[in-house]
Amino acid sequence: MTKLFIMMTALLSTSARSVAAFASGKTAAAVASAPSTRRSFSSSSSSALSALSGNLVSVEECLAAFGDDGVKFVDGSWHLAADRDGRSDYEAGPRISGATFFDIDDISTKGEANPKGLPHMMPPKNLFAAAMDALDISNEDHLVVYGTKGCMFTARCFYTLRGMGHDADKVHLMQGSLGEWIDKKGLIDKDPAKAISALDLDLSAEAKYQAKDATSMVDMQTVLGVVDAEDDADSIVVDARGAARFKAEAPEPREGMRGGHMPGSFNVPFADLLDPGDPTKFMNSVELKAAFEKGGVDVSTDKKIICSCG
């Protein structure tokens, strides 16, 4: 089967997050078996918990699972626009009642381990474990990641939770926003709340949560080897930026970055994978498959798929 990887040292922007999330984490891009249609989730004795029937779950399924002791809701909102801030929105409310907030910028690799200062790199496992303890999340919990209206990047939080060791069958991405939850009479909290901060975590304490080193990551040297090997490489690179940036017809949003793309890479714009009417939802499996085929990607390839972005 194809395997999906993300460049550890590349700037993991929102586009690559969305591509990473629709695949299963181990099987990349046999889109017909993407999480939206998979039903590999093990059943539970709780009728509420069994409502979560796959990795991608509807608001109705989430409402049915709400209140179960084994289900935790996590706000994973992140916005590219400067006028939106997921942490501030969470702290001000409203939020799903009892939900916590996972900040992909805060719970990430920083300092000497990230010499280029790249944002939202996958965290070291001791930091991730400490964050899970602070969020009162155990390895046994089923996690439902959701986002505020218009947030198209919750897939990165979803992928981080899986990549750091949470059971893939216990991480779910709500298809629909907080706004839809409210419209369907889901319970909310409106009072101000404080999100956890990495600076407040005691990394010397023994963690209850059992985290792993980040999985399905590759370094820059591996990617350069794929580019140099051209058609003989055992992997392909899929660039999830918009077509204009891929073709260097539009400037990169971050200062100092060159336009264009890696030689031999394929372009599957992340926006093509999302519902144009609601970017908190993925397109269906047929539409996802068509988006990859349009980008020249054979979704049944035996080669590994490396997702990249800006």
Side-chain angles (χ1 to χ4, degrees):
M1 287 204 175
T2 307
K3 291 186 178 179
L4 177 73
F5 293 84
I6 294 182
M7 293 170 55
M8 185 75 171
T9 54
L11 191 57
L12 288 176
S13 76
T14 54
S15 48
R17 298 170 206 153
S18 295
V19 174
F22 96 88
S24 68
K26 293 182 180 178
T27 62
V31 183
S33 61
S36 57
T37 56
R38 291 174 61 222
R39 288 296 180 262
S40 59
F41 185 79
S42 58
S43 61
S44 168
S45 59
S46 165
S47 60
L49 191 56
S50 64
L52 300 176
S53 56
N55 292 131
L56 302 187
V57 290
S58 68
V59 173
E60 290 82 3
E61 289 173 306
C62 293
L63 287 165
F66 180 79
D68 189 284
D69 289 340
V71 177
K72 303 286 178 67
F73 284 79
V74 180
D75 185 339
S77 299
W78 187 92
H79 302 276
L80 188 60
D83 61 347
R84 292 289 304 277
D85 178 69
R87 174 183 284 268
S88 296
D89 288 347
Y90 170 85
E91 293 185 334
R95 69 194 74 83
I96 291 179
S97 184
T100 55
F101 181 76
F102 188 91
D103 188 336
I104 62 170
D105 282 330
D106 186 47
I107 309 301
S108 65
T109 294
K110 303 172 185 175
E112 294 182 0
N114 185 3
K116 292 188 177 181
L118 302 176
H120 37 256
M121 294 291 98
M122 295 287 271
K125 68 178 181 180
N126 65 328
L127 173 59
F128 182 80
M132 294 296 98
D133 283 353
L135 296 173
D136 193 29
I137 290 173
S138 76
N139 292 84
E140 309 309 315
D141 288 328
H142 289 266
L143 309 180
V144 178
V145 178
Y146 76 94
T148 50
K149 184 176 181 179
C151 181
M152 58 181 67
F153 308 131
T154 51
R156 175 55 197 273
C157 177
F158 168 92
Y159 192 79
T160 298
L161 295 172
R162 293 177 55 153
M164 295 304 301
H166 208 81
D167 189 332
D169 285 339
K170 294 180 178 178
V171 187
H172 315 277
L173 187 62
M174 190 169 85
Q175 298 299 281
S177 69
L178 171 63
E180 185 175 341
W181 172 275
I182 293 173
D183 289 343
K184 294 183 177 178
K185 310 304 180 184
L187 292 180
I188 59 171
D189 293 331
K190 295 183 178 180
D191 293 336
K194 182 69 174 176
I196 68 165
S197 170
L199 293 176
D200 296 331
L201 301 178
D202 182 2
L203 302 187
S204 65
E206 183 176 356
K208 296 179 182 178
Y209 188 93
Q210 299 299 303
K212 298 179 181 179
D213 291 321
T215 60
S216 297
M217 299 289 130
V218 295
D219 59 21
M220 184 61 72
Q221 198 61 39
T222 299
V223 176
L224 290 173
V226 169
V227 172
D228 289 343
E230 298 181 334
D231 292 341
D232 294 328
D234 67 351
S235 306
I236 62 173
V237 176
V238 177
D239 188 323
R241 295 173 300 159
R245 290 172 61 192
F246 183 81
K247 298 174 183 177
E249 296 172 351
E252 290 296 311
R254 294 178 174 89
E255 184 177 354
M257 296 192 67
R258 294 180 297 169
H261 57 271
M262 296 180 220
S265 61
F266 298 88
N267 184 214
V268 181
F270 76 97
D272 290 355
L273 308 178
L274 305 176
D275 185 332
D278 183 354
T280 64
K281 300 177 181 179
F282 279 97
M283 304 289 273
N284 64 44
S285 60
V286 173
E287 292 165 324
L288 289 173
K289 185 174 185 292
F292 276 81
E293 290 176 343
K294 180 181 176 182
V297 177
D298 177 6
V299 297
S300 61
T301 180
D302 290 329
K303 292 191 174 186
K304 301 170 187 175
I305 295 179
I306 300 174
C307 292
S308 76
C309 54

